[in-house]
PDB file of all heavy atoms in Angstrom:
ATOM      1  N   PRO V 223     -55.293-142.447  72.878  1.00 89.00           N
ATOM      2  CA  PRO V 223     -54.594-143.689  72.509  1.00 89.00           C
ATOM      3  C   PRO V 223     -55.565-144.814  72.184  1.00 89.00           C
ATOM      4  O   PRO V 223     -56.567-145.007  72.875  1.00 89.00           O
ATOM      5  CB  PRO V 223     -53.774-144.029  73.755  1.00 89.00           C
ATOM      6  CG  PRO V 223     -53.623-142.727  74.475  1.00 89.00           C
ATOM      7  CD  PRO V 223     -54.874-141.947  74.181  1.00 89.00           C
ATOM      8  N   LYS V 224     -55.273-145.517  71.116  1.00 86.00           N
ATOM      9  CA  LYS V 224     -56.129-146.636  70.703  1.00 86.00           C
ATOM     10  C   LYS V 224     -55.964-147.795  71.687  1.00 86.00           C
ATOM     11  O   LYS V 224     -54.869-148.099  72.129  1.00 86.00           O
ATOM     12  CB  LYS V 224     -55.764-147.084  69.296  1.00 86.00           C
ATOM     13  CG  LYS V 224     -56.038-146.015  68.251  1.00 86.00           C
ATOM     14  CD  LYS V 224     -55.917-146.585  66.851  1.00 86.00           C
ATOM     15  CE  LYS V 224     -56.068-145.530  65.798  1.00 86.00           C
ATOM     16  NZ  LYS V 224     -57.284-144.794  65.798  1.00 86.00           N
ATOM     17  N   GLN V 225     -57.093-148.409  72.000  1.00 91.00           N
ATOM     18  CA  GLN V 225     -57.102-149.564  72.893  1.00 91.00           C
ATOM     19  C   GLN V 225     -57.408-150.800  72.058  1.00 91.00           C
ATOM     20  O   GLN V 225     -58.205-150.737  71.127  1.00 91.00           O
ATOM     21  CB  GLN V 225     -58.175-149.385  73.975  1.00 91.00           C
ATOM     22  CG  GLN V 225     -58.013-148.148  74.816  1.00 91.00           C
ATOM     23  CD  GLN V 225     -56.814-148.204  75.745  1.00 91.00           C
ATOM     24  OE1 GLN V 225     -56.247-149.255  76.007  1.00 91.00           O
ATOM     25  NE2 GLN V 225     -56.416-147.056  76.242  1.00 91.00           N
ATOM     26  N   ASP V 226     -56.792-151.905  72.421  1.00 89.00           N
ATOM     27  CA  ASP V 226     -57.112-153.132  71.689  1.00 89.00           C
ATOM     28  C   ASP V 226     -58.379-153.759  72.268  1.00 89.00           C
ATOM     29  O   ASP V 226     -58.927-153.289  73.263  1.00 89.00           O
ATOM     30  CB  ASP V 226     -55.933-154.103  71.687  1.00 89.00           C
ATOM     31  CG  ASP V 226     -55.542-154.592  73.071  1.00 89.00           C
ATOM     32  OD1 ASP V 226     -56.385-154.580  73.982  1.00 89.00           O
ATOM     33  OD2 ASP V 226     -54.384-155.010  73.233  1.00 89.00           O
ATOM     34  N   ASN V 227     -58.846-154.807  71.641  1.00 90.00           N
ATOM     35  CA  ASN V 227     -60.109-155.437  72.047  1.00 90.00           C
ATOM     36  C   ASN V 227     -60.073-156.013  73.448  1.00 90.00           C
ATOM     37  O   ASN V 227     -61.122-156.174  74.072  1.00 90.00           O
ATOM     38  CB  ASN V 227     -60.522-156.502  71.035  1.00 90.00           C
ATOM     39  CG  ASN V 227     -61.045-155.876  69.758  1.00 90.00           C
ATOM     40  OD1 ASN V 227     -61.485-154.731  69.749  1.00 90.00           O
ATOM     41  ND2 ASN V 227     -60.991-156.618  68.665  1.00 90.00           N
ATOM     42  N   THR V 228     -58.894-156.328  73.967  1.00 93.00           N
ATOM     43  CA  THR V 228     -58.818-156.863  75.326  1.00 93.00           C
ATOM     44  C   THR V 228     -59.186-155.796  76.364  1.00 93.00           C
ATOM     45  O   THR V 228     -59.552-156.128  77.479  1.00 93.00           O
ATOM     46  CB  THR V 228     -57.410-157.425  75.640  1.00 93.00           C
ATOM     47  OG1 THR V 228     -56.451-156.365  75.527  1.00 93.00           O
ATOM     48  CG2 THR V 228     -57.050-158.567  74.705  1.00 93.00           C
ATOM     49  N   PHE V 229     -59.095-154.519  75.996  1.00 95.00           N
ATOM     50  CA  PHE V 229     -59.483-153.430  76.891  1.00 95.00           C
ATOM     51  C   PHE V 229     -61.001-153.335  77.021  1.00 95.00           C
ATOM     52  O   PHE V 229     -61.533-152.969  78.063  1.00 95.00           O
ATOM     53  CB  PHE V 229     -58.923-152.100  76.359  1.00 95.00           C
ATOM     54  CG  PHE V 229     -59.271-150.914  77.210  1.00 95.00           C
ATOM     55  CD1 PHE V 229     -58.524-150.608  78.334  1.00 95.00           C
ATOM     56  CD2 PHE V 229     -60.358-150.105  76.898  1.00 95.00           C
ATOM     57  CE1 PHE V 229     -58.857-149.516  79.130  1.00 95.00           C
ATOM     58  CE2 PHE V 229     -60.688-149.015  77.681  1.00 95.00           C
ATOM     59  CZ  PHE V 229     -59.929-148.718  78.801  1.00 95.00           C
ATOM     60  N   ARG V 230     -61.690-153.676  75.963  1.00 94.00           N
ATOM     61  CA  ARG V 230     -63.146-153.493  75.881  1.00 94.00           C
ATOM     62  C   ARG V 230     -63.886-154.632  76.582  1.00 94.00           C
ATOM     63  O   ARG V 230     -64.524-155.467  75.941  1.00 94.00           O
ATOM     64  CB  ARG V 230     -63.571-153.395  74.428  1.00 94.00           C
ATOM     65  CG  ARG V 230     -63.008-152.185  73.736  1.00 94.00           C
ATOM     66  CD  ARG V 230     -63.396-152.151  72.285  1.00 94.00           C
ATOM     67  NE  ARG V 230     -62.985-150.904  71.669  1.00 94.00           N
ATOM     68  CZ  ARG V 230     -63.455-150.443  70.537  1.00 94.00           C
ATOM     69  NH1 ARG V 230     -64.357-151.137  69.861  1.00 94.00           N
ATOM     70  NH2 ARG V 230     -63.034-149.306  70.051  1.00 94.00           N
ATOM     71  N   THR V 231     -63.811-154.619  77.904  1.00 95.00           N
ATOM     72  CA  THR V 231     -64.464-155.662  78.689  1.00 95.00           C
ATOM     73  C   THR V 231     -65.713-155.104  79.372  1.00 95.00           C
ATOM     74  O   THR V 231     -65.874-153.890  79.533  1.00 95.00           O
ATOM     75  CB  THR V 231     -63.504-156.244  79.742  1.00 95.00           C
ATOM     76  OG1 THR V 231     -63.058-155.177  80.593  1.00 95.00           O
ATOM     77  CG2 THR V 231     -62.315-156.919  79.085  1.00 95.00           C
ATOM     78  N   TRP V 244     -65.897-147.328  77.242  1.00 96.00           N
ATOM     79  CA  TRP V 244     -65.198-148.085  78.276  1.00 96.00           C
ATOM     80  C   TRP V 244     -64.256-147.164  79.028  1.00 96.00           C
ATOM     81  O   TRP V 244     -63.628-146.277  78.438  1.00 96.00           O
ATOM     82  CB  TRP V 244     -64.386-149.216  77.658  1.00 96.00           C
ATOM     83  CG  TRP V 244     -65.206-150.243  76.947  1.00 96.00           C
ATOM     84  CD1 TRP V 244     -65.720-151.397  77.472  1.00 96.00           C
ATOM     85  CD2 TRP V 244     -65.597-150.227  75.569  1.00 96.00           C
ATOM     86  NE1 TRP V 244     -66.410-152.086  76.504  1.00 96.00           N
ATOM     87  CE2 TRP V 244     -66.352-151.393  75.322  1.00 96.00           C
ATOM     88  CE3 TRP V 244     -65.398-149.340  74.509  1.00 96.00           C
ATOM     89  CZ2 TRP V 244     -66.890-151.700  74.085  1.00 96.00           C
ATOM     90  CZ3 TRP V 244     -65.937-149.628  73.268  1.00 96.00           C
ATOM     91  CH2 TRP V 244     -66.668-150.798  73.064  1.00 96.00           C
ATOM     92  N   ASP V 259     -62.040-145.708  75.917  1.00 96.00           N
ATOM     93  CA  ASP V 259     -62.241-145.937  74.493  1.00 96.00           C
ATOM     94  C   ASP V 259     -63.738-145.872  74.213  1.00 96.00           C
ATOM     95  O   ASP V 259     -64.562-145.991  75.127  1.00 96.00           O
ATOM     96  CB  ASP V 259     -61.682-147.303  74.082  1.00 96.00           C
ATOM     97  CG  ASP V 259     -61.428-147.406  72.590  1.00 96.00           C
ATOM     98  OD1 ASP V 259     -61.576-146.390  71.865  1.00 96.00           O
ATOM     99  OD2 ASP V 259     -61.083-148.501  72.130  1.00 96.00           O
TER     100      ASP V 259
END
Side-chain angles (χ1 to χ4, degrees):
K224 295 191 185 302
Q225 302 290 344
D226 63 24
N227 286 337
T228 61
F229 180 83
R230 296 177 173 198
T231 58
W244 297 268
D259 200 6

